Amino acid sequence: MSASPSSIDLDRAPGASPPSPRRILHLDVDAFLASVEQAVHPELRGRPLVIGGLPDERNLVMSCTYDVRARGVRPGMLLAEAARRCPEALFRRGDAQAANRLRRAVARVALRTSPLVEEASIDDFFVDLTGCTRLCGPAFATAERLRAQVRAEVGLPLSVGVGTNRTLARLAGMLAKPGGVAEVLPGYERHFLRALPVHYLPGVGRTTRRLFEQFAVRTAGDLAQASREVLFASFGSAGLVLHDRARGIDPDPVEATYELCDGDEGLLRVRMPRSIQRVSTFEPEEGRRERVEAMLCYLVERAGHRLRSHGLRAGSAEVSVTYVDTRPPAVRRRARAAGEGGHHRRRRAFEHPENATDALWSHARALLRSLPRRRALTRRIGLSLFGLSPGAGWQGSLFSAPRSDLGGDGGGGARGSRRDRGVGGGGGARGSRRDRHRRLDRALDDLRGRLGFGRVLRGGSFPLTETCELEADGFRLRTPSLNQ
Ligand SMILES: [Mg+2]
């Protein structure tokens, strides 16, 4: 392939070995949830802030500002411990809706630079500038411009890393935190990695790090020298991926998550989620079974709504429940080692891929009821949907269902009435219970799209109104699911 020298790469280091043509940016919002709170409430700017709940609640720190981090507070720490280490910090619950809104605003700014923007998690993005440098200038300057634009337009602080692949961009960004821009120049990858502590590499957790130490592997440079055979024997294919990363090799592409459009906040999601998770923590812990079931029903409603908004169906569902374990720590540890901790989960496939709330709910309820029931308070309940596949439309049944199939919980109120006839398709027949529930879902989704999720509630989640605040966006939960 012949290319004129000027068309190769404008921001190439002089004298460096021929660079890989890829220029990837990694954008990471600093202290995301705390920064969101400060962007929404300007009076909190410059104040020490902890997000997760109030200090007397038994929740964990979800995010905190850097001045609080300097006092030894870390995400994942108990709120009470955070309050002890930094008594002057302000504690807030966090705002999941604002977080989602601002995250999309960051994506919109990034999409003005390149169409290849991937949402990697709730607060970080990859942007592929390959092929855009002639249009938007050197990658480093683009990174600085993006950081300034996000600060000015969205009000969030950003750190940006620039590299020839995803791993290097992420590592550069990590070193630029907070609020900086850093670049690993093409051709200097091995140089940069040589002295980098090995646990900085994505995929090296605490256990892997400890095992590496036994092999005297302390830096990415050490890992790059290790034998691939030994790594494969010890860690399987994950070991080979880590070896590549340590040598500056990461061929994973940046996959576009969004596309700019005119409607819905200017963004269209083009990459579908692979799974949907909804979890909620009870504060205080819940002893009444009907409240636990009501919470699961609400999580099913939210997950079902999201599933249908993407035109997807789920192949299987998992329900998890965590009980408060009041046994002494030593007993608890032994029990956990024997697989008898306070946490239980069960997963089961649907007969056919599903997206109707009614079917999801009866499946989830059956899973919950099949889990071991303990005489203890419930701390957490969660629902996950897996095996997502496209399936936007639904086939109304040709024949009306036998009488015995009508009725059932909640939705069966319009049993055989005239109201039920002529709603939607169904070929004029009254349709089976399945069809009627699908029509109900469609009507509810439409209503919620216009008025807000919390404006309509299923009877099953009604007991929650006694303990949880209901807003237009839905219940204010203790552990807001941020990946809506
Ligand atoms: Mg972040």
Side-chain angles (χ1 to χ4, degrees):
M1 218 166 61
S2 69
S4 69
S6 63
S7 74
I8 296 174
D9 206 342
L10 289 178
D11 47 4
R12 139 179 202 185
S17 56
S20 142
R22 297 170 81 206
R23 307 303 283 136
I24 312 280
L25 305 188
H26 180 246
L27 319 183
D28 193 312
V29 182
D30 300 323
F32 180 60
L33 291 175
S35 301
V36 166
E37 201 73 9
Q38 288 176 330
V40 176
H41 305 282
E43 70 277 11
L44 294 175
R45 283 181 200 162
R47 309 281 303 273
L49 194 60
V50 173
I51 305 294
L54 305 177
D56 55 347
E57 292 173 359
R58 227 172 318 169
N59 287 346
L60 303 176
V61 174
M62 291 163 82
S63 174
C64 58
T65 49
Y66 279 82
D67 44 350
V68 180
R69 274 176 212 219
R71 306 279 295 273
V73 178
R74 292 281 176 276
M77 184 180 272
L78 275 173
L79 287 166
E81 174 64 15
R84 200 183 58 74
R85 291 191 186 196
C86 188
E88 69 275 21
L90 300 170
F91 287 77
R92 293 282 186 280
R93 291 228 170 87
D95 185 340
Q97 267 78 31
N100 275 316
R101 207 175 53 240
L102 296 190
R103 175 180 52 163
R104 284 195 293 269
V106 175
R108 261 198 310 277
V109 173
L111 277 165
R112 298 206 298 252
T113 306
S114 161
L116 275 178
V117 174
E118 177 178 332
E119 185 186 291
S121 78
I122 83 163
D123 71 335
D124 66 321
F125 301 86
F126 286 105
V127 182
D128 194 339
L129 290 185
T130 314
C132 298
T133 45
R134 287 240 284 179
L135 194 67
C136 58
F140 190 84
T142 307
E144 285 197 308
R145 200 173 57 243
L146 268 176
R147 184 180 56 146
Q149 284 172 344
V150 168
R151 180 50 125 176
E153 295 173 34
V154 190
L156 292 178
L158 210 61
S159 302
V160 190
V162 188
T164 45
N165 61 45
R166 296 165 61 112
T167 302
L168 287 161
R170 190 187 276 279
L171 290 171
M174 213 188 269
L175 300 178
K177 274 192 159 298
V181 177
E183 179 177 19
V184 179
L185 289 168
Y188 289 93
E189 293 87 351
R190 301 289 283 268
H191 234 76
F192 166 75
L193 288 165
R194 196 168 297 154
L196 190 85
V198 73
H199 66 269
Y200 276 57
L201 288 178
V204 179
R206 206 177 297 168
T207 321
T208 315
R209 184 183 172 183
R210 224 175 289 143
L211 286 167
F212 277 159
E213 264 166 20
Q214 293 174 8
F215 289 108
V217 170
R218 289 192 184 84
T219 65
D222 294 340
L223 182 58
Q225 304 284 319
S227 124
R228 281 177 82 79
E229 287 73 26
V230 171
L231 284 171
F232 184 74
S234 314
F235 303 99
S237 52
L240 299 184
V241 171
L242 288 178
H243 188 240
D244 283 344
R245 285 180 181 165
R247 294 184 302 151
I249 300 167
D250 177 4
D252 282 354
V254 174
E255 292 176 51
T257 306
Y258 298 110
E259 224 168 61
L260 280 174
C261 70
D262 296 334
D264 194 29
E265 291 181 88
L267 279 187
L268 185 74
R269 192 176 259 278
V270 288
R271 200 174 66 153
M272 295 301 164
R274 296 196 175 109
S275 65
I276 294 177
Q277 267 104 30
R278 290 288 176 273
V279 179
S280 186
T281 306
F282 293 101
E283 173 70 38
E285 287 89 359
E286 187 56 69
R288 286 156 295 189
R289 189 66 175 188
E290 68 274 12
R291 292 271 163 83
V292 176
E293 288 207 359
M295 183 62 84
L296 182 63
C297 179
Y298 181 68
L299 298 181
V300 165
E301 275 193 272
R302 288 223 81 123
H305 183 68
R306 177 146 196 254
L307 199 60
R308 291 188 298 274
S309 74
H310 290 299
L312 295 173
R313 287 161 192 275
S316 65
E318 180 181 282
V319 168
S320 64
V321 60
T322 309
Y323 292 104
V324 177
D325 203 340
T326 48
R327 293 172 293 179
V331 179
R332 226 183 303 164
R333 261 197 304 279
R334 267 202 304 279
R336 216 176 297 149
E340 296 161 5
H343 184 75
H344 305 276
R345 64 173 75 194
R346 188 151 296 161
R347 182 165 165 174
R348 197 181 293 153
F350 294 101
E351 227 169 273
H352 312 286
E354 268 301 345
N355 68 2
T357 301
D358 181 60
L360 297 176
W361 170 226
S362 45
H363 192 80
R365 190 175 42 189
L367 281 174
L368 176 67
R369 290 181 179 173
S370 73
L371 284 171
R373 200 159 163 178
R374 313 263 295 249
R375 292 177 65 178
L377 298 175
T378 305
R379 176 169 286 162
R380 230 164 197 268
I381 177 105
L383 169 83
S384 309
L385 300 176
F386 300 103
L388 308 190
S389 58
W394 54 277
Q395 176 71 55
S397 70
L398 195 54
F399 307 103
S400 52
R403 209 74 189 155
S404 61
D405 192 27
L406 297 169
D409 67 304
R415 183 178 198 170
S417 74
R418 210 169 291 153
R419 251 188 304 159
D420 203 28
R421 251 167 265 168
V423 184
R430 234 183 351 254
S432 68
R433 168 181 169 150
R434 233 176 132 79
D435 297 341
R436 285 186 297 117
H437 276 287
R438 291 214 160 108
R439 284 201 292 273
L440 181 68
D441 280 341
R442 220 187 272 175
L444 285 184
D445 288 344
D446 175 52
L447 214 55
R448 284 170 162 164
R450 283 186 287 127
L451 304 175
F453 193 91
R455 295 295 182 218
V456 195
L457 260 195
R458 245 182 137 75
S461 7
F462 220 74
L464 290 181
T465 50
E466 286 172 36
T467 43
C468 299
E469 235 174 283
L470 184 63
E471 298 173 350
D473 282 323
F475 284 112
R476 228 183 140 71
L477 302 182
R478 292 287 179 256
T479 313
S481 293
L482 287 162
N483 56 342
Q484 298 171 16

